[in-house]
Amino acid sequence: MNNNSQSIHIKRDILIRLVKAFDSDNFEKNVAKIPFDMRPKGADVPYRCCIYKEREIIKDRIIADLGFALEPLDESERLDEMAADSLQRKTIEENPLTVIDAACKGCVPSRVYVTDLCQGCVARACEKACKFGAITIAGGKSHIDPSKCKNCGMCINACPYNAIVRLIVPCEQACPIGAISKGENGTATIDFEKCISCGKCVAACPFGAVNEKSHIIDVLKAIKDGKKVVAMFAPAIAGQFPGSIFQLKSAMKKAGFFDVLEVAQGADITTKKESAEFVERIEHGATFMTTSCCAGYNNFIAKHLPEIKPFVSDTKTPMYYTAEIVKQKYPDAISVFISPCVAKRKEVQANENVDYVLNADELGAIFVGRKIEILEMEDTQYDYDSSKQARNFGVTGGVAAAVNSLLDDEEKANAYVIDGLTKDSIKQLKKYAKDGCCADGNLVEVMCCEGGCIGGNSNIASPKIAKKIINSLLEKSNDLK
Amino acid sequence: MIKLNYIIETKGALMETIEVKICSGTTCFVMGSSFLNELYELIPQKYGEKVSVTQSLCLGQCSKQDTHSNAPYVKVADTIISEATVEKVLAEIEKRVNKNE
Ligand code: FES
């Protein structure tokens, strides 16, 4: 996964401009200007065919950042009106992702492709191999008629020069459950019945065509309206910014949040409950238990592998417990979960204690737009001192290690970590569910993203650096008791 | 009070050392400066004492209208590199090292 591509750079650039527009004296007008500020008259056209298309795609990104779906729109919408609408909205969109058509069309529609290596040979093995009559020879070269091609790949195998290749569509390749596919018209569509909101397509698309419908305007507006907006950040977020989490808290308060809690606080509760649950399950003869705090995994279970449900821990996620604490402490609060991934958006929808989600990069955009230098902030303490184990929840292996830290030697789990939900690891999980046991261990930690939550699609820091920053926090943290 | 939570520093002989400063201000960090981190290993490996590389607070480049677009910034001696990449930074160092010799 690459969180450092040009398309991500543009995405964050737009978010920052959106925050600045929100803070300006004329939000609607300044939002409408963003495409022209970014691609002014006479500017270079770095990526697409013409400046108009570049502006159009920037406009679409802004619409997603304003929190709207692109699918029902027809290009006639005016950005200033949409910006105004975003301020009126009371509820958030159900499905978290939306695809930018115009950006998506930049990528291969047909998937089997004749390269320049084609020698126009006499054998014409490709033509013969094709059962659908999709290949013709013209001008001394093979041609594939995309309307007839069924992507079977027979010609690929037949060509003696390896001149025919299968072009990979990155989003399809990245999706572990085949929920996104590029149709005949060249546009990818997401099947939301299947989609587990893992965010892998968002990270994989080199055109940045898959976008989250942001809640950033809703959060900014709640703050501006003087609501008590309380943020709780996932353990992985501690690794996404320069400076300590104590400086981060000051920075967030400066950005307008009323209070800030670590979701690690809830992770301490998750750990306690989950370790007790593990012991109890094993005593009652269970052969294994899987963790339950990854939202992508939970979505996957619900939609694709309900059979494994009896083996999944009933303990709630750290976000769940933290949100409970927030609403107990501040019953009138608007609570915002600061998230490393898309999947948590679905979990938030199902949780009445959480109102909005902000991604790490959306929070970052607020800092930049409001000129908040985290490294220059004073420390602000947290009311609760989260444990070392909880603060490591976002790193693969962290959850299982936390559970084990509370168990006596004879009770200790034999932990096995599924580091990333992929087509292969899904096969593994299916086998565990079918066999009713797991040969690899009796506590299976499942993380949808490789590396754990620090590998989430909306993170800022490289996973390596995130881990380093988190490790420096762990050194100063106490063991869970 | 200023605290860096991870500091990787290599110091060389003061005289003809080329100073490289990688910005870790909020803007540069949000715009991807953590992906430049391999420079902290690469530079000493390649240039030893000739080049020093440190993490820096906001280099002051991002504060003007829309200049956040060109972050992350890296300073190599007195040259500011915008939209810095590992390759761009190494190329600038290379230019200067050759001039020094
Ligand atoms: S944050 Fe790098 S120049 Fe300001």
Side-chain angles (χ1 to χ4, degrees):
Chain A
M1 186 202 74
N2 182 5
N3 273 4
N4 192 35
S5 66
Q6 273 301 324
S7 60
I8 282 174
H9 199 267
I10 294 172
K11 179 185 170 211
R12 296 197 187 139
D13 191 350
I14 293 172
L15 282 168
I16 292 166
R17 287 168 193 269
L18 200 62
V19 175
K20 287 185 175 175
F22 185 88
D23 289 345
S24 73
D25 49 11
N26 195 335
F27 174 52
E28 294 85 347
K29 181 171 145 242
N30 287 324
V31 167
K33 272 178 63 194
I34 294 174
F36 300 89
D37 290 342
M38 290 182 71
R39 297 288 179 265
K41 191 175 166 196
D44 285 352
V45 181
Y47 305 109
R48 271 127 186 151
C49 58
C50 65
I51 200 161
Y52 309 104
K53 184 151 186 191
E54 292 240 341
R55 287 185 192 143
E56 194 58 31
I57 292 173
I58 291 171
K59 175 184 161 191
D60 286 351
R61 290 189 199 286
I62 296 170
I63 293 174
D65 288 342
L66 288 170
F68 296 109
L70 291 158
E71 286 79 1
L73 307 183
D74 66 1
E75 292 178 21
S76 66
E77 299 71 25
R78 290 179 39 179
L79 265 185
D80 53 347
E81 289 171 1
M82 301 215 69
D85 287 351
S86 74
L87 296 176
Q88 301 307 323
R89 171 181 46 222
K90 292 275 176 294
T91 51
I92 49 177
E93 289 262 349
E94 189 191 342
N95 293 311
L97 296 175
T98 185
V99 180
I100 300 179
D101 244 33
C104 183
K105 288 219 168 76
C107 137
V108 284
S110 163
R111 273 155 281 177
V112 178
Y113 179 80
V114 184
T115 66
D116 283 350
L117 296 175
C118 172
Q119 309 288 317
C121 68
V122 183
R124 299 192 172 175
C126 54
E127 195 180 6
K128 279 193 212 91
C130 182
K131 292 198 180 74
F132 308 103
I135 297 192
T136 49
I137 317 286
K141 264 186 188 297
S142 279
H143 288 277
I144 298 176
D145 179 348
S147 66
K148 291 185 184 156
C149 174
K150 299 269 189 276
N151 289 310
C152 70
M154 293 301 278
C155 57
I156 299 177
N157 300 333
C159 176
Y161 294 100
N162 288 337
I164 306 179
V165 294
R166 185 184 296 279
L167 289 177
I168 291 168
V169 183
C171 59
E172 288 182 3
Q173 178 90 351
C175 180
I177 37 90
I180 190 164
S181 59
K182 195 120 179 145
E184 308 254 301
N185 61 358
T187 312
T189 30
I190 298 171
D191 180 347
F192 287 109
E193 298 283 305
K194 284 188 180 172
C195 174
I196 59 170
S197 304
C198 66
K200 288 183 200 276
C201 57
V202 181
C205 176
F207 285 86
V210 191
N211 279 246
E212 287 174 73
K213 299 169 200 161
S214 178
H215 303 168
I216 192 166
I217 298 300
D218 309 79
V219 173
L220 290 174
K221 181 162 181 284
I223 292 174
K224 193 174 174 187
D225 290 348
K227 305 240 171 75
K228 251 185 212 165
V229 183
V230 176
M232 42 189 167
F233 65 85
I237 300 302
Q240 303 309 318
F241 294 97
S244 69
I245 56 165
F246 308 103
Q247 289 174 302
L248 181 63
K249 181 166 179 182
S250 310
M252 290 172 77
K253 291 189 83 161
K254 192 169 177 199
F257 290 98
F258 183 78
D259 197 4
V260 181
L261 280 82
E262 288 185 78
V263 169
Q265 182 170 354
D268 274 345
I269 303 174
T270 298
T271 306
K272 284 178 188 156
K273 292 197 190 259
E274 198 155 306
S275 55
E277 186 189 358
F278 174 77
V279 172
E280 203 189 302
R281 280 182 181 244
I282 297 294
E283 270 171 11
H284 284 83
T287 49
F288 75 105
M289 179 180 96
T290 88
T291 54
S292 59
C293 46
C294 168
Y297 174 52
N298 289 338
N299 293 338
F300 167 76
I301 298 167
K303 292 188 177 179
H304 301 280
L305 196 60
E307 305 92 279
I308 205 163
K309 194 84 212 149
F311 305 99
V312 180
S313 161
D314 292 321
T315 301
K316 302 273 194 263
T317 67
M319 183 189 84
Y320 178 92
Y321 297 119
T322 313
E324 250 179 11
I325 296 166
V326 168
K327 289 278 161 132
Q328 267 160 24
K329 203 168 165 195
Y330 308 109
D332 54 340
I334 300 281
S335 59
V336 180
F337 176 69
I338 315 289
S339 166
C341 76
V342 186
K344 282 284 178 190
R345 290 181 188 267
K346 285 305 261 187
E347 188 185 331
V348 163
Q349 264 171 21
N351 185 331
E352 56 175 24
N353 287 335
V354 195
D355 298 291
Y356 299 116
V357 176
L358 273 189
N359 282 341
D361 54 5
E362 292 163 343
L363 177 63
I366 297 178
F367 289 150
V368 176
R370 299 194 164 168
K371 296 197 190 317
I372 297 170
E373 274 304 322
I374 306 167
L375 288 173
E376 288 169 14
M377 289 282 144
E378 299 285 340
D379 285 356
T380 306
Q381 297 304 319
Y382 293 83
D383 294 345
Y384 175 86
D385 195 17
S386 300
S387 76
K388 190 185 209 163
Q389 284 73 16
R391 285 174 170 161
N392 202 31
F393 254 52
V395 179
T396 190
V399 182
V403 169
N404 252 340
S405 77
L406 289 184
L407 300 179
D408 297 334
D409 278 348
E410 65 278 9
E411 296 173 326
K412 283 237 189 293
N414 173 15
Y416 179 74
V417 177
I418 295 217
D419 184 16
L421 216 49
T422 59
K423 288 171 186 135
D424 287 338
S425 60
I426 285 174
K427 276 192 207 129
Q428 260 177 294
L429 286 167
K430 284 195 168 143
K431 189 172 181 329
Y432 303 159
K434 191 165 156 247
D435 299 352
C437 69
C438 165
D440 301 309
N442 57 5
L443 176 65
V444 182
E445 178 194 295
V446 186
M447 286 286 185
C448 194
C449 293
E450 208 181 303
C453 311
I454 54 170
N457 69 287
S458 70
N459 284 327
I460 292 170
S462 71
K464 216 171 134 193
I465 294 305
K467 202 167 171 182
K468 208 170 199 160
I469 300 176
I470 289 172
N471 281 342
S472 70
L473 170 65
L474 299 186
E475 276 166 30
K476 287 174 238 135
S477 311
N478 301 315
D479 279 325
L480 179 63
K481 281 191 248 0
Chain B
M1 191 175 43
I2 287 163
K3 266 187 263 151
L4 302 181
N5 63 352
Y6 62 101
I7 301 181
I8 309 159
E9 208 171 342
T10 33
K11 280 230 167 65
L14 276 173
M15 292 248 301
E16 73 275 359
T17 314
I18 298 169
E19 272 198 325
V20 176
K21 290 183 169 171
I22 301 176
C23 186
S24 268
T26 303
T27 307
C28 289
F29 205 89
V30 169
M31 295 304 263
S33 72
S34 77
F35 288 86
L36 299 169
N37 259 61
E38 55 182 300
L39 286 170
Y40 293 112
E41 281 159 32
L42 275 178
I43 291 175
Q45 260 172 34
K46 242 183 131 179
Y47 299 103
E49 308 234 304
K50 277 189 267 180
V51 184
S52 77
V53 51
T54 51
Q55 189 186 28
S56 153
L57 296 174
C58 173
L59 290 168
Q61 299 298 314
C62 62
S63 48
K64 279 176 244 113
Q65 173 95 32
D66 294 349
T67 43
H68 68 263
S69 294
N70 301 323
Y73 294 95
V74 171
K75 199 168 177 188
V76 178
D78 50 8
T79 305
I80 294 279
I81 301 176
S82 59
E83 289 182 56
T85 59
V86 170
E87 295 71 28
K88 273 191 186 174
V89 173
L90 288 178
E92 180 64 30
I93 295 173
E94 193 66 21
K95 218 165 79 192
R96 290 183 175 262
V97 168
N98 290 339
K99 213 161 59 188
N100 279 1
E101 280 168 0

